[in-house]
Amino acid sequence: MSVSLRALVTGGGGFIGSHLCRRLLADGCTVTCIDNFASGLRRNIAGLLDDPSFRLIEQDVSAEPLPDDLQADRYYHLASPASPNPHTPRSYMALPLETALVNSVGLRNVLELARRRGGRVLFASTSEVYGDPHEHPQREEYWGNVSSTGPRSCYDEAKRFGEALCMIFVRSYDVDVRLIRIFNTYGPNMDPEDGRMLPNFITQALSNQALTIYGDGQFTRSLCYVQDLVEGVLAVMESSRSDAAGRVYNLGNPEEHTILEYAKLVLELIPANRSRITHMPPVPDDPSRRRPDITRAKSELGWEPRVALRKGIETTINYFREVTAVS
Ligand code: UDP
């Protein structure tokens, strides 16, 4: 990648965004991060604030059009709550209107800036556009099984609308927009309190509480380590394929396990814990299984995940030990 690229990352204070900012800086980019910390965490980027190539703008990207002086060569639109857990304050179910707006109005603000001033855009969509899938594993061509009025609709329908908006800017205004569908991702900088599966299991095991499995634990997910994911994000953004604008890529790890298997692995990797597993009522609208088909990213971009699950979870446990100060 050229050393002089200017990157703008919305949601740069978030879990994936903060790793992306760090990676772009290491590549020699200048990075502007826009975040209102609705779901991002200041500590994720605290170590970047002294870097002269890094700038933080504390702002809601949905609030108003972005000024021309934020012009960049690369726009990464990652801003959005992403945890489904309704019982946690920074989840998309707790911030439904903000979630709907950041993936529509906020995205439009980014797209309009690119349309006026040039530059490539990448929109972070989600595996949730496949809903509770009837096709398994999920290929990019699959149209999904989503409820437009269900409890997840503020997120999955907003992301679907966001994808449609991107295609309008590709087809009608010739903006170079790339789309990724991010599957479950984990690693350091996840919010231990965001209510998702691994943050819950790890913080529960570290504090000797029972690991809460919603339902019987036979649902599945496929988890990708965040460093792998970030490499995929860059591969999509920097692809030189002639059909890259408007092309969608699944990014995730195809290794699929049941929720029960993840719980058991966490218990095994935190040896001193006295935690057990407890079963809670199932979550309404919870997709029963999810696994990406990454054939397209693999064959067209040469990208695939490399970090082994056990290693990735160990690193994540160490991070959670630090930030939650329990051992
Ligand atoms: N889950 C669970 N216990 C928890 C948190 C999540 O059993 O404490 C389950 C959840 O019902 C879902 C899976 O783990 O089946 C993944 O949930 P997560 O919130 O991580 O993300 P999702 O994949 O649903 O977006």
Side-chain angles (χ1 to χ4, degrees), residues 72-273:
D73 305 296
R74 303 285 187 265
Y75 303 92
Y76 297 88
H77 188 54
L78 272 62
S80 178
S83 164
N85 193 322
H87 307 296
T88 57
R90 294 184 283 271
S91 69
Y92 63 70
M93 287 200 200
L95 299 167
L97 185 57
E98 292 84 345
T99 302
L101 292 178
V102 77
N103 289 295
S104 52
V105 178
L107 171 62
R108 182 191 176 185
N109 289 337
V110 173
L111 292 166
E112 291 286 5
L113 179 57
R115 179 184 169 194
R116 287 197 310 275
R117 308 296 301 184
R120 257 179 222 172
V121 181
L122 178 140
F123 174 51
S125 185
T126 171
S127 57
E128 293 222 28
V129 301
Y130 300 121
D132 193 358
H134 291 151
E135 183 177 295
H136 193 76
Q138 293 80 52
R139 295 171 304 128
E140 288 87 351
E141 290 87 356
Y142 178 49
W143 289 0
N145 174 37
V146 174
S147 162
S148 61
T149 54
R152 291 181 178 244
S153 61
C154 61
Y155 184 68
D156 49 34
E157 287 294 351
K159 290 289 189 186
R160 290 171 73 91
F161 176 79
E163 292 192 8
L165 195 60
C166 290
M167 296 314 296
I168 293 170
F169 277 71
V170 169
R171 294 191 179 114
S172 301
Y173 306 124
D174 204 22
V175 179
D176 184 347
V177 190
R178 285 113 194 267
L179 297 100
I180 55 171
R181 295 184 182 142
I182 300 177
F183 284 67
N184 295 66
T185 304
Y186 72 101
N189 293 6
M190 269 189 120
D191 179 357
E193 295 172 359
D194 83 359
R196 278 187 279 191
M197 177 185 69
L198 269 192
N200 275 6
F201 289 171
I202 296 173
T203 50
Q204 287 160 347
L206 288 175
S207 53
N208 291 310
Q209 293 167 17
L211 272 56
T212 52
I213 287 185
Y214 306 148
D216 64 7
Q218 294 310 309
F219 282 8
T220 70
R221 291 294 187 271
S222 311
L223 299 189
C224 184
Y225 190 66
V226 64
Q227 224 67 59
D228 282 333
L229 196 282
V230 165
E231 294 308 317
V233 171
L234 294 176
V236 174
M237 185 60 121
E238 298 309 323
S239 163
S240 54
R241 286 176 62 94
S242 57
D243 62 353
R247 193 144 181 85
V248 181
Y249 290 92
N250 284 339
L251 293 181
N253 191 324
E255 187 182 318
E256 181 183 9
H257 295 281
T258 64
I259 307 307
L260 184 61
E261 284 167 347
Y262 290 118
K264 286 182 173 165
L265 182 58
V266 168
L267 290 179
E268 185 191 324
L269 293 177
I270 304 178
N273 79 87

